[in-house]
Amino acid sequence: YSPVRRAILVSEIAGWMKTFVTVSDLESFSKAASVLGLTQSTVSRQVTALEKHLGVSLLKRTTRSFALTLEGLSFYESAQRA
């Protein structure tokens, strides 16, 4: 990656991490969307993009709820400190 593209990618990942932590803290995609000023769809896409980037599932989703996976819990704890 070029230095500019690398900077953009780092910024995107930092945003995805913030979104993931907010979703986890509030235990809700819709509440996180409201707090972050994003649509629920955007929040979901950002968490999915972060999972794809990391190559792991951070959340186990059902139609009405979600739970952190073991990897998600570990990443959440690390991301809170970042």
Side-chain angles (χ1 to χ4, degrees):
Y1 294 110
S2 72
V4 171
R5 177 62 187 137
R6 185 169 297 168
I8 292 169
L9 185 58
V10 168
S11 177
E12 285 178 335
I13 294 167
W16 300 341
M17 289 172 63
K18 178 181 177 182
T19 297
F20 170 73
V21 168
T22 304
V23 167
S24 300
D25 285 343
L26 299 176
E27 299 179 353
S28 168
F29 279 81
S30 60
K31 289 178 185 174
S34 179
V35 166
L36 295 169
L38 302 170
T39 65
Q40 188 171 342
S41 174
T42 298
V43 168
S44 180
R45 281 195 307 269
Q46 287 186 1
V47 172
T48 299
L50 181 60
E51 290 175 317
K52 184 176 178 182
H53 175 74
L54 297 173
V56 297
S57 293
L58 299 172
L59 303 172
K60 181 177 179 176
R61 297 165 177 86
T62 65
T63 54
R64 298 237 175 232
S65 65
F66 68 87
L68 291 171
T69 63
L70 290 176
E71 294 85 357
L73 181 58
S74 177
F75 186 79
Y76 172 76
E77 291 170 349
S78 297
Q80 280 186 305
R81 292 184 293 241

